Amino acid sequence: MADEVKKRVFSGVQPTGKVTLGNYLGAIRNWTPLQQQYDCLFCVVDLHSLTVEQVPAELRKNTFELTALYIACGLDPARSTLFIQSHVHEHAELAWILDTVTYVGELGRMTQFKDKSRKHADNINMGLMNYPVLMASDILLYQAELVPVGKDQVQHVELTRDIAQRFNARYSDTFAVPQCLLSKAGASIKSLQDPTAKMSKSDPNENAVITLTDDADAVRRKLRRAVTDSDTSANCVRHSADKPGVSNLLNIYSLCSGVSVEQAERTFEGKGYGVFKDAVADAVISVLQPIQAEQKRLLADKAYIESVLRQGAEQASHIAQKTLAKVYRKVGLVPKIR
Ligand code: ATP
Ligand code: LTN
């Protein structure tokens, strides 16, 4: 009975490249406490990854690694449904129906589509444009009410709401209309080299990004090189709009150490950037090391990961089938003759 009233949560990360500290602090880490309160589904969205060119063998490897990382970060297969998007074929099927209530103009206006079209000018494929409809399908298929994501995905969740409302208005109430769940400080971790841009998996400059697989030396080196400013005053370690580099490092420090930004400003009063950056590195390393050890242990047990994915796909399919059958009925498709 208690299960029936729990709100449902859905989120996902693409198994593309290396997961960054931004992905972790902005997304995955905020998912773990939700498991206590909500009915959670966490997905490895492999179909989304295909919108930019992938090396097939690497995509497969990244998919397993991301699953192991989910578990290593504290997502518990006994409490949450962990699964691979392509294992539940209803995602792609519902996306087709949702395509028919989505306008080309809306998709052309999406910031991520415009950004990725610029970055991949030689491969502006239909999937890239359709990406947000597949994401809407992920969410609506499970009647999810809450979608924990970083700031950059808010526009996609808003489009999902529009699509759900439009469908409901046209075909009668069918979908729950989801809301974003945004964490405050972790919502946008910035590039270490350009603190006005987000830290991004696909950044070609590896000094700009801390990945969850970076070892202690790499973390320390990248943080020492992080862009700050030329302030040498006693209170140079200060969170403020005119100090984007330092503010970003303070956010990272606070999120990794559990110390508030204000407290950190006091701690580093009278100390220079060198001391501060080393402390940020210590805090980041102490968060990453246990995750890395656990991910390694899990990856050595492929049978376990497969069992989690098998069970996850079964649980997810059960819900997905119900929603898709309802949608097919509402739009007027004839049910399969048995
Ligand atoms: P890409 O570089 O290809 O755009 P990405 O780093 O944005 O990839 P995604 O798989 O698109 O990674 O995002 C996974 C989740 O991580 C999303 O919820 C997104 O909002 C969040 N996220 C990504 N980058 C950051 C960041 N710098 N700060 C906070 N959250 C982030
Ligand atoms: N587009 C998201 C990944 C994603 C997602 C979702 C997030 C795909 N489907 C559904 C939340 C809910 C991104 O992080 N880039």
Side-chain angles (χ1 to χ4, degrees):
M1 181 68 196
D3 273 2
E4 283 169 33
V5 295
K6 273 190 188 171
K7 282 191 181 179
R8 194 164 281 150
V9 166
F10 185 100
S11 199
V13 174
Q14 301 181 67
T16 313
K18 295 207 159 140
V19 176
T20 71
L21 189 64
N23 298 138
Y24 177 67
L25 297 176
I28 306 172
R29 187 168 98 151
N30 305 312
W31 301 351
T32 48
L34 301 175
Q35 302 179 104
Q36 287 158 17
Q37 216 179 326
Y38 301 113
D39 175 14
C40 297
L41 293 109
F42 299 116
C43 186
V44 176
V45 289
D46 55 349
L47 296 173
H48 277 106
S49 293
L50 298 175
T51 56
V52 301
E53 209 173 321
Q54 302 293 327
V55 177
E58 274 178 23
L59 178 60
R60 245 185 310 270
K61 184 163 173 271
N62 286 338
T63 301
F64 273 103
E65 287 183 3
L66 184 56
T67 307
L69 191 68
Y70 275 5
I71 305 170
C73 289
L75 301 183
D76 177 357
R79 285 176 150 182
S80 300
T81 300
L82 308 185
F83 72 108
I84 297 176
Q85 186 185 32
S86 64
H87 289 183
V88 181
H89 55 78
E90 285 83 358
H91 287 248
E93 293 168 11
L94 178 61
W96 174 256
I97 304 289
L98 299 181
D99 266 340
T100 66
V101 294
T102 308
Y103 300 111
V104 172
E106 293 177 296
L107 296 177
R109 281 195 294 277
M110 291 289 117
T111 307
Q112 181 176 296
F113 172 64
K114 289 194 271 183
D115 281 354
K116 296 223 163 166
S117 300
R118 231 173 286 125
K119 276 193 204 153
H120 306 276
D122 55 342
N123 184 19
I124 307 177
N125 60 74
M126 279 308 299
L128 199 59
M129 189 168 199
N130 225 8
Y131 181 112
V133 184
L134 182 58
M135 178 160 161
S137 169
D138 298 340
I139 298 167
L140 301 182
L141 200 47
Y142 300 98
Q143 308 287 356
E145 290 177 74
L146 298 170
V147 184
V149 282
K151 229 183 198 161
D152 61 314
Q153 293 301 313
V154 171
Q155 196 184 33
H156 288 163
V157 178
E158 272 163 10
L159 179 69
T160 303
R161 291 171 59 85
D162 290 344
I163 293 174
Q165 280 163 343
R166 199 174 297 151
F167 189 100
N168 288 348
R170 195 172 298 175
Y171 296 109
S172 85
D173 208 21
T174 306
F175 295 121
V177 179
Q179 273 183 332
C180 265
L181 207 58
L182 256 191
S183 74
K184 281 168 263 121
S188 191
I189 301 296
K190 304 299 184 191
S191 153
L192 300 182
Q193 291 298 314
D194 173 8
T196 60
K198 78 162 192 167
M199 183 180 283
S200 165
K201 258 186 206 145
S202 49
D203 196 319
N205 181 352
E206 66 163 49
N207 284 323
V209 179
I210 293 178
T211 76
L212 291 206
T213 50
D214 279 345
D215 63 19
D217 287 346
V219 170
R220 209 171 287 286
R221 189 180 64 243
K222 289 177 184 181
L223 282 166
R224 281 194 184 143
R225 289 184 190 162
V227 169
T228 47
D229 50 46
S230 54
D231 188 355
T232 52
S233 64
N235 65 345
C236 63
V237 178
R238 199 171 70 245
H239 200 284
S240 88
D242 60 340
K243 295 170 79 71
V246 176
S247 301
N248 187 39
L249 295 182
L250 269 168
N251 282 340
I252 293 174
Y253 178 77
S254 168
L255 289 164
C256 291
S257 66
V259 172
S260 69
V261 167
E262 297 72 30
Q263 177 63 44
E265 285 173 338
R266 285 193 290 275
T267 305
F268 295 104
E269 174 115 46
K271 306 205 169 92
Y273 289 148
V275 172
F276 171 54
K277 285 175 167 180
D278 272 341
V280 181
D282 289 339
V284 171
I285 292 163
S286 67
V287 166
L288 296 193
Q289 273 176 345
I291 296 175
Q292 291 169 347
E294 182 62 3
Q295 187 196 23
K296 193 169 162 210
R297 191 187 69 76
L298 288 162
L299 281 171
D301 189 356
K302 198 165 176 204
Y304 171 70
I305 305 223
E306 285 177 345
S307 74
V308 167
L309 290 172
R310 189 178 310 117
Q311 189 198 343
E314 262 170 36
Q315 288 168 353
S317 293
H318 184 72
I319 310 169
Q321 277 164 16
K322 269 204 218 157
T323 307
L324 192 69
K326 186 167 161 193
V327 168
Y328 274 15
R329 201 171 55 241
K330 296 239 183 170
V331 299
L333 303 181
V334 174
K336 201 164 165 186
I337 318 292
R338 298 195 188 268

